[in-house]
Amino acid sequence: MTAPATPWPGPAQDTAPRAAAPLVDDGTTERLVRAVDAVDAPDVVFALSRDGRRTLHCGGTAVSPAVPRQDLRYEIGSASKAFTGLLFARLVERGLLTGGEPAAACLRPGRPAGADPATLAHLVTHTAGLPALPPGFYARALPAWRTNPYGRYPAEQVVDAFLHHRPRHRPGTRWHYSNFGVAVLGHALSAVTGTPWEELLAAQVLRPLGLTGTSPRPEDPKTDATGHGKDGRTPVLPFDAGGFDAAGAVRATPYDLLTFLEAHLDPAGSPLAGALRAVRTPVLRRGRGHVHVHTVAWFQHPTDGGPMYFHSGATLGQQAFLGFRPDTGTAVVALCTRRYRARDPFVPTAYALLAED
């Protein structure tokens, strides 16, 4: 009897069970205080979960907002791709997709696929042969570069640019990080399911995981964190992702983001268990010696105890870092409300917090 096929990209191997951490002060609070102090931004949040026990510390150069910083929703930029990757894995697990569908045929049913089509799997792994942004993006975005560049490039423009693009390299042969590709993936998933990406994400990921403080849209100025420019003082408008929702539109509270990461650490019992395991599966190795490892949702780096997974993101006025380590049962969420600048300490500080744990 033939065993049933495992949906692409396949399940990850769960790590061996670990003994529960002792209920003692392990210095986590002090480490979070140091991390917050290292980041020069109006609002800073560092949160850590270990074996389900959470510690959070907030600070910043601005006066504390009326709503506590830990209760605000923050723009997470490209870290939204971790949500889109999980959504994709969920649809594959449910048998709605295989990953091998030509993206152009999903967007335009009946369109000839061609000899070497870019598939949904290529899009989610940044191997579709697409540039970081569509041709013509900068010309359209430049007049609003400091205020609303992505908002000037709507969904239909993203899809049209993809359907007319001729890649320089055959899909699957080169890796190139692409907001364009993941945005196209979001539109393809919507087309295949007949459901807008926002509703699809809510139905397949947010509600099953209980993420009530997560949304791809601004909702309330009182509870949405305000971003700031590079000077750390000038407020900026809420991020408008335009046609790039799947690549960077998610906003969430620190506690929701911890819940999201904790689900990855312990998929057992979750309605998304299969997809959560699948997004820990390496699907791509690149670089000299193949030292760079990727899953459909995460960058993966080695540690002495096993792999750690992470993704960072930035908008015009905010930054985010999400990461988790199955070997230590640790999840780290870091958020700040200042635009990225040269030699910015935010991501290195967050990465080090996860790596040293």
Side-chain angles (χ1 to χ4, degrees):
M1 184 175 184
T2 303
T6 301
W8 187 87
Q13 296 297 318
D14 288 330
T15 55
R18 295 170 293 100
L23 297 175
V24 297
D25 183 359
D26 59 0
T28 297
T29 299
E30 182 180 346
R31 292 166 60 203
L32 295 183
V33 169
R34 290 198 304 268
V36 168
D37 290 345
V39 178
D40 180 15
D43 309 285
V44 185
V45 180
F46 274 78
L48 186 147
S49 172
R50 181 150 192 173
D51 293 322
R53 291 184 284 116
R54 297 176 168 186
T55 309
L56 181 145
H57 185 69
C58 304
T61 58
V63 175
S64 297
V67 175
R69 289 182 171 107
Q70 65 266 26
D71 296 328
L72 295 174
R73 294 188 318 142
Y74 295 82
E75 299 167 357
I76 68 171
S78 282
S80 303
K81 295 179 179 70
F83 285 80
T84 299
L86 182 59
L87 169 61
F88 175 74
R90 171 68 167 160
L91 295 177
V92 171
E93 180 199 21
R94 295 189 60 197
L96 300 176
L97 300 170
T98 67
E101 295 84 356
C106 294
L107 294 164
R108 295 289 186 270
R111 179 187 175 104
D116 292 302
T119 67
L120 302 185
H122 291 139
L123 293 173
V124 78
T125 56
H126 303 281
T127 59
L130 298 177
L133 291 165
F137 175 86
Y138 293 101
R140 179 180 288 267
L142 194 58
W145 191 252
R146 295 183 181 276
T147 56
N148 187 28
Y150 284 85
R152 294 175 64 88
Y153 212 95
E156 57 271 18
Q157 194 83 21
V158 172
V159 171
D160 187 65
F162 170 73
L163 293 175
H164 287 87
H165 182 70
R166 296 295 178 265
R168 293 176 56 191
H169 305 289
R170 182 165 55 86
T173 61
R174 303 286 182 94
W175 184 90
H176 186 75
Y177 187 85
S178 178
N179 284 326
F180 182 20
V182 178
V184 171
L185 173 66
H187 297 307
L189 298 183
S190 295
V192 168
T193 61
T195 306
W197 181 81
E198 181 175 352
E199 296 178 18
L200 193 62
L201 181 70
Q204 298 294 335
V205 175
L206 304 186
R207 287 199 290 271
L209 293 181
L211 305 180
T212 58
T214 302
S215 170
R217 297 282 178 268
E219 291 188 351
D220 186 342
K222 295 179 181 177
T223 55
D224 288 336
T226 299
H228 296 79
K230 290 184 178 181
D231 62 6
R233 297 184 299 274
T234 306
V236 300
L237 295 172
F239 180 59
D240 180 353
F244 296 81
D245 279 351
V250 172
R251 296 156 165 83
T253 65
Y255 291 119
D256 257 24
L257 294 172
L258 280 180
T259 299
F260 179 68
L261 295 177
E262 288 166 347
H264 287 75
L265 285 170
D266 186 15
S270 170
L272 273 62
L276 288 163
R277 293 189 178 99
V279 297
R280 282 165 38 175
T281 303
V283 296
L284 174 68
R285 298 180 185 273
R286 65 176 178 88
R288 182 174 295 178
H290 290 172
V291 296
H292 300 290
V293 181
H294 302 261
T295 79
V296 297
W298 301 97
F299 294 84
Q300 179 184 308
H301 281 181
T303 72
D304 290 340
M308 73 179 199
Y309 304 82
F310 64 95
H311 210 303
S312 61
T315 62
L316 299 179
Q318 301 187 42
Q319 297 182 65
F321 177 94
L322 309 180
F324 64 97
R325 284 183 59 175
D327 66 315
T328 60
T330 302
V332 170
V333 170
L335 304 156
C336 79
T337 57
R338 183 173 184 173
R339 186 170 184 169
Y340 173 81
R341 59 207 191 278
R343 295 180 294 278
D344 195 300
F346 174 75
V347 169
T349 299
Y351 182 96
L353 184 65
L354 181 65
E356 73 185 16
D357 195 75

